[in-house]
Short mmCIF file of all heavy atoms in Angstrom, two decimals:
data_model
loop_
_atom_site.label_atom_id
_atom_site.label_comp_id
_atom_site.label_asym_id
_atom_site.label_seq_id
_atom_site.Cartn_x
_atom_site.Cartn_y
_atom_site.Cartn_z
N ILE A 83 -0.75 20.69 -19.46
CA ILE A 83 -2.21 20.88 -19.56
C ILE A 83 -2.71 20.37 -20.90
O ILE A 83 -3.75 19.71 -20.97
CB ILE A 83 -2.58 22.35 -19.31
CG1 ILE A 83 -2.26 22.71 -17.85
CG2 ILE A 83 -4.05 22.61 -19.63
CD1 ILE A 83 -2.31 24.19 -17.54
N ARG A 84 -1.98 20.66 -21.97
CA ARG A 84 -2.38 20.14 -23.29
C ARG A 84 -2.40 18.63 -23.30
O ARG A 84 -3.30 18.01 -23.89
CB ARG A 84 -1.47 20.71 -24.37
CG ARG A 84 -1.77 22.19 -24.62
CD ARG A 84 -0.73 22.91 -25.42
NE ARG A 84 -0.38 22.27 -26.68
CZ ARG A 84 0.67 22.65 -27.40
NH1 ARG A 84 1.44 23.63 -27.01
NH2 ARG A 84 0.94 22.02 -28.53
N GLY A 86 -2.90 16.75 -20.65
CA GLY A 86 -4.05 16.39 -19.82
C GLY A 86 -5.37 16.50 -20.56
O GLY A 86 -6.24 15.63 -20.45
N VAL A 87 -5.52 17.55 -21.33
CA VAL A 87 -6.74 17.75 -22.12
C VAL A 87 -6.84 16.66 -23.18
O VAL A 87 -7.90 16.06 -23.38
CB VAL A 87 -6.78 19.17 -22.75
CG1 VAL A 87 -7.90 19.30 -23.76
CG2 VAL A 87 -6.92 20.23 -21.65
N ALA A 88 -5.74 16.39 -23.86
CA ALA A 88 -5.73 15.36 -24.91
C ALA A 88 -6.11 14.00 -24.37
O ALA A 88 -6.77 13.21 -25.05
CB ALA A 88 -4.35 15.30 -25.57
N MET A 89 -5.72 13.72 -23.13
CA MET A 89 -5.97 12.41 -22.54
C MET A 89 -7.30 12.34 -21.79
O MET A 89 -7.73 11.26 -21.40
CB MET A 89 -4.85 12.04 -21.57
CG MET A 89 -3.52 11.80 -22.25
SD MET A 89 -2.23 11.35 -21.08
CE MET A 89 -2.79 9.74 -20.57
N GLY A 90 -7.91 13.50 -21.56
CA GLY A 90 -9.14 13.52 -20.77
C GLY A 90 -8.86 13.23 -19.29
O GLY A 90 -9.65 12.57 -18.62
N LEU A 91 -7.73 13.73 -18.78
CA LEU A 91 -7.36 13.49 -17.40
C LEU A 91 -8.27 14.24 -16.43
O LEU A 91 -8.83 15.28 -16.78
CB LEU A 91 -5.91 13.92 -17.14
CG LEU A 91 -4.81 13.20 -17.89
CD1 LEU A 91 -3.44 13.74 -17.47
CD2 LEU A 91 -4.87 11.70 -17.68
N ALA A 116 -8.83 28.04 -12.53
CA ALA A 116 -10.26 27.70 -12.42
C ALA A 116 -10.86 27.43 -13.81
O ALA A 116 -11.64 26.49 -13.98
CB ALA A 116 -11.02 28.82 -11.73
N ILE A 117 -10.45 28.21 -14.79
CA ILE A 117 -10.93 28.01 -16.16
C ILE A 117 -10.43 26.65 -16.69
O ILE A 117 -11.19 25.90 -17.29
CB ILE A 117 -10.47 29.16 -17.08
CG1 ILE A 117 -11.21 30.45 -16.70
CG2 ILE A 117 -10.68 28.82 -18.56
CD1 ILE A 117 -10.63 31.71 -17.32
N ILE A 118 -9.17 26.35 -16.43
CA ILE A 118 -8.61 25.07 -16.89
C ILE A 118 -9.31 23.91 -16.19
O ILE A 118 -9.67 22.91 -16.82
CB ILE A 118 -7.09 25.05 -16.65
CG1 ILE A 118 -6.42 26.08 -17.56
CG2 ILE A 118 -6.52 23.65 -16.89
CD1 ILE A 118 -5.01 26.46 -17.16
N MET A 119 -9.55 24.05 -14.89
CA MET A 119 -10.26 23.00 -14.14
C MET A 119 -11.66 22.79 -14.71
O MET A 119 -12.11 21.65 -14.88
CB MET A 119 -10.33 23.38 -12.66
CG MET A 119 -8.97 23.37 -11.99
SD MET A 119 -8.97 24.16 -10.36
CE MET A 119 -9.58 22.79 -9.38
N PHE A 120 -12.35 23.88 -15.02
CA PHE A 120 -13.68 23.79 -15.62
C PHE A 120 -13.60 23.07 -16.96
O PHE A 120 -14.41 22.19 -17.27
CB PHE A 120 -14.26 25.21 -15.80
CG PHE A 120 -15.56 25.23 -16.56
CD1 PHE A 120 -16.76 25.03 -15.90
CD2 PHE A 120 -15.58 25.47 -17.92
CE1 PHE A 120 -17.97 25.05 -16.59
CE2 PHE A 120 -16.77 25.50 -18.63
CZ PHE A 120 -17.98 25.28 -17.96
N GLY A 121 -12.60 23.43 -17.76
CA GLY A 121 -12.42 22.80 -19.08
C GLY A 121 -12.19 21.31 -18.97
O GLY A 121 -12.77 20.53 -19.73
N LEU A 122 -11.36 20.90 -18.03
CA LEU A 122 -11.10 19.47 -17.84
C LEU A 122 -12.36 18.74 -17.40
O LEU A 122 -12.70 17.69 -17.94
CB LEU A 122 -10.00 19.26 -16.80
CG LEU A 122 -8.58 19.61 -17.21
CD1 LEU A 122 -7.66 19.57 -16.01
CD2 LEU A 122 -8.07 18.68 -18.29
N LYS A 123 -13.05 19.32 -16.44
CA LYS A 123 -14.26 18.69 -15.90
C LYS A 123 -15.33 18.53 -16.98
O LYS A 123 -16.08 17.56 -16.97
CB LYS A 123 -14.79 19.55 -14.74
CG LYS A 123 -16.06 19.10 -14.12
CD LYS A 123 -15.78 18.11 -13.02
CE LYS A 123 -17.05 17.84 -12.25
NZ LYS A 123 -17.44 16.48 -12.24
N ASN A 124 -15.38 19.48 -17.90
CA ASN A 124 -16.42 19.49 -18.93
C ASN A 124 -15.93 19.01 -20.29
O ASN A 124 -16.59 19.24 -21.30
CB ASN A 124 -17.04 20.88 -19.02
CG ASN A 124 -17.84 21.20 -17.78
OD1 ASN A 124 -18.95 20.71 -17.60
ND2 ASN A 124 -17.26 21.99 -16.87
N ASN A 125 -14.76 18.37 -20.30
CA ASN A 125 -14.19 17.80 -21.53
C ASN A 125 -14.09 18.80 -22.68
O ASN A 125 -14.37 18.46 -23.83
CB ASN A 125 -14.97 16.56 -21.96
CG ASN A 125 -14.90 15.46 -20.93
OD1 ASN A 125 -13.83 15.12 -20.45
ND2 ASN A 125 -16.05 14.92 -20.57
N LEU A 126 -13.70 20.03 -22.36
CA LEU A 126 -13.49 21.02 -23.41
C LEU A 126 -12.17 20.75 -24.11
O LEU A 126 -11.24 20.20 -23.53
CB LEU A 126 -13.48 22.43 -22.82
CG LEU A 126 -14.75 22.90 -22.10
CD1 LEU A 126 -14.58 24.34 -21.63
CD2 LEU A 126 -15.98 22.77 -22.99
N SER A 127 -12.08 21.15 -25.36
CA SER A 127 -10.83 21.00 -26.12
C SER A 127 -9.85 22.08 -25.67
O SER A 127 -10.23 23.07 -25.02
CB SER A 127 -11.10 21.14 -27.61
OG SER A 127 -11.45 22.49 -27.92
N ASP A 128 -8.59 21.91 -26.07
CA ASP A 128 -7.60 22.94 -25.73
C ASP A 128 -7.94 24.27 -26.40
O ASP A 128 -7.70 25.33 -25.83
CB ASP A 128 -6.18 22.48 -26.07
CG ASP A 128 -6.02 21.97 -27.49
OD1 ASP A 128 -6.97 22.03 -28.29
OD2 ASP A 128 -4.91 21.48 -27.81
N ILE A 129 -8.56 24.22 -27.57
CA ILE A 129 -8.97 25.46 -28.25
C ILE A 129 -10.08 26.15 -27.46
O ILE A 129 -10.04 27.37 -27.24
CB ILE A 129 -9.42 25.16 -29.70
CG1 ILE A 129 -8.22 24.69 -30.52
CG2 ILE A 129 -10.07 26.39 -30.33
CD1 ILE A 129 -8.56 24.18 -31.90
N GLU A 130 -11.06 25.37 -26.99
CA GLU A 130 -12.15 25.96 -26.20
C GLU A 130 -11.65 26.55 -24.89
O GLU A 130 -12.07 27.63 -24.49
CB GLU A 130 -13.23 24.90 -25.93
CG GLU A 130 -13.98 24.47 -27.18
CD GLU A 130 -14.85 23.25 -26.95
OE1 GLU A 130 -14.39 22.27 -26.31
OE2 GLU A 130 -16.01 23.28 -27.42
N ILE A 131 -10.72 25.86 -24.24
CA ILE A 131 -10.14 26.39 -23.00
C ILE A 131 -9.36 27.66 -23.30
O ILE A 131 -9.46 28.66 -22.58
CB ILE A 131 -9.26 25.33 -22.32
CG1 ILE A 131 -10.11 24.14 -21.85
CG2 ILE A 131 -8.51 25.94 -21.13
CD1 ILE A 131 -9.32 22.94 -21.36
N SER A 132 -8.60 27.66 -24.38
CA SER A 132 -7.82 28.85 -24.77
C SER A 132 -8.73 30.03 -25.04
O SER A 132 -8.43 31.17 -24.66
CB SER A 132 -6.98 28.56 -26.01
OG SER A 132 -5.95 27.68 -25.69
N GLU A 133 -9.87 29.77 -25.70
CA GLU A 133 -10.81 30.85 -25.97
C GLU A 133 -11.40 31.42 -24.68
O GLU A 133 -11.54 32.64 -24.55
CB GLU A 133 -11.93 30.36 -26.89
CG GLU A 133 -11.46 30.13 -28.31
CD GLU A 133 -12.49 29.44 -29.21
OE1 GLU A 133 -13.52 28.94 -28.69
OE2 GLU A 133 -12.25 29.40 -30.43
N LEU A 134 -11.71 30.55 -23.73
CA LEU A 134 -12.20 31.03 -22.42
C LEU A 134 -11.14 31.86 -21.71
O LEU A 134 -11.46 32.91 -21.12
CB LEU A 134 -12.60 29.85 -21.53
CG LEU A 134 -13.97 29.24 -21.74
CD1 LEU A 134 -14.13 27.99 -20.87
CD2 LEU A 134 -15.06 30.24 -21.41
N LEU A 135 -9.91 31.40 -21.75
CA LEU A 135 -8.82 32.15 -21.13
C LEU A 135 -8.68 33.53 -21.78
O LEU A 135 -8.52 34.54 -21.09
CB LEU A 135 -7.50 31.37 -21.25
CG LEU A 135 -7.37 30.14 -20.37
CD1 LEU A 135 -6.21 29.26 -20.84
CD2 LEU A 135 -7.19 30.52 -18.91
N LEU A 144 -2.39 28.82 -23.23
CA LEU A 144 -2.38 27.38 -23.42
C LEU A 144 -1.92 27.06 -24.83
O LEU A 144 -1.11 26.17 -25.06
CB LEU A 144 -3.78 26.80 -23.15
CG LEU A 144 -3.92 25.30 -23.23
CD1 LEU A 144 -2.97 24.60 -22.30
CD2 LEU A 144 -5.36 24.89 -22.93
#
Side-chain angles (χ1 to χ4, degrees):
I83 294 168
R84 287 166 52 191
V87 170
M89 293 181 69
L91 297 182
I117 291 168
I118 294 163
M119 293 167 82
F120 173 85
L122 288 170
K123 176 88 170 121
N124 291 284
N125 298 311
L126 299 182
S127 69
D128 52 5
I129 293 172
E130 292 169 315
I131 295 171
S132 290
E133 288 171 349
L134 278 174
L135 289 165
L144 183 57

